[in-house]
Amino acid sequence: MKGIVFSLKRGNHHINRNRNYHLANFSFKRFFVFYGLQTFFLLTFLLGVVLGSLSFKTASPDLLERLDFLFLTNLENRLKFTAFEMFCSSFASSFLFVLFAFLFAFTAWGMFALVLLCSFLGYGVGISSAYMFIEHSVTGIGFYILVVLPGLVLFLIAFITALKESFTQSVYLLKMYFPSNNDVLILRHIKTFLYRYFVVIIFTAFSAVVDMLLWVLFANLFNF
């Protein structure tokens, strides 16, 4: 019995020591080396959300109507959608952002356009959330958190991954305009790039399915 207790204590001590070792070896420099681009695009998205939410009161009805295809700016209209229409709407708007990110990857100036694309997504999400919160008060907040936010978070993970891959590919393409020996590396990276974008598309479709299911299950529970 003493041996068992001693073994458990020694095992817990070993786990705690490993945990403390990993915490002690955490490095912001290493973090930004691996996740710097993702962090940058996330901050850009959040900045767009803030700007979008602040500009909602000054946005014209015509602008809100045009943005409804990409973002939720007309709840009454969306509540009339069938499940299949809701999936198509969610997937189409998400796919357009992924498609533009994909196309920008094959331009030397795409790295700059990707920043604008990310901020535009944040701007639209900011207007959409402000619309829900201001027009529908507490009910709108609950609806947004329960129905809209989960699918948005899933898509955002896929989209930031797509932005990171496109940014890297655009940098590789820019290097082609200068004398170098990186042509072989660029060709190898394209294969990886295309495979990862295939995964992004699958994850985007999955986020649209989640969005559709949440609308079908919970949208009618709220009274607007």
Side-chain angles (χ1 to χ4, degrees):
M1 180 64 70
K2 290 182 178 180
I4 295 174
V5 173
F6 179 75
S7 298
L8 290 174
K9 289 183 177 180
R10 184 172 59 182
N12 291 333
H13 176 71
H14 180 70
I15 293 173
N16 291 332
R17 185 173 60 184
N18 286 337
R19 185 181 302 168
N20 293 332
Y21 173 79
H22 288 300
L23 291 175
N25 282 273
F26 176 79
S27 171
F28 283 103
K29 180 179 179 180
R30 185 183 304 171
F31 175 83
F32 284 110
V33 167
F34 288 100
Y35 303 105
L37 279 176
Q38 292 93 323
T39 303
F40 170 73
F41 282 119
L42 178 60
L43 293 176
T44 303
F45 170 80
L46 294 177
L47 177 62
V49 171
V50 173
L51 294 177
S53 59
L54 293 177
S55 64
F56 172 75
K57 290 185 177 180
T58 59
S60 64
D62 183 56
L63 175 62
L64 296 177
E65 184 178 354
R66 293 183 179 182
L67 289 177
D68 188 56
F69 174 72
L70 296 174
F71 309 102
L72 177 60
T73 57
N74 189 336
L75 181 59
E76 290 75 12
N77 185 41
R78 292 291 181 97
L79 289 174
K80 298 176 182 177
F81 284 6
T82 64
F84 180 72
E85 289 174 338
M86 192 62 230
F87 169 78
C88 291
S89 174
S90 178
F91 181 72
S93 59
S94 300
F95 181 78
L96 280 178
F97 281 97
V98 174
L99 177 62
F100 275 108
F102 178 81
L103 295 177
F104 287 146
F106 295 97
T107 61
W109 45 267
M111 61 190 76
F112 306 106
L114 291 169
V115 178
L116 296 177
L117 183 66
C118 183
S119 60
F120 176 68
L121 175 65
Y123 179 83
V125 171
I127 285 185
S128 175
S129 58
Y131 160 76
M132 291 295 301
F133 299 166
I134 295 175
E135 296 294 324
H136 301 286
S137 188
V138 178
T139 304
I141 296 175
F143 182 88
Y144 195 88
I145 293 175
L146 182 61
V147 179
V148 180
L149 191 60
L152 173 63
V153 171
L154 289 176
F155 169 66
L156 186 60
I157 294 173
F159 186 60
I160 288 180
T161 302
L163 291 173
K164 182 256 183 184
E165 295 298 326
S166 293
F167 189 95
T168 305
Q169 179 65 24
S170 180
V171 171
Y172 277 131
L173 190 63
L174 181 62
K175 291 180 180 179
M176 292 182 64
Y177 291 92
F178 302 94
S180 65
N181 297 320
N182 293 323
D183 294 346
V184 176
L185 291 177
I186 293 172
L187 292 175
R188 290 179 180 176
H189 183 264
I190 287 178
K191 295 180 180 180
T192 305
F193 169 78
L194 294 175
Y195 169 76
R196 290 176 178 175
Y197 249 88
F198 177 71
V199 176
V200 167
I201 293 297
I202 293 177
F203 207 78
T204 301
F206 174 70
S207 68
V209 171
V210 172
D211 196 33
M212 176 197 70
L213 291 176
L214 291 175
W215 275 81
V216 171
L217 293 175
F218 301 111
N220 293 325
L221 299 180
F222 294 85
N223 295 320
F224 295 101

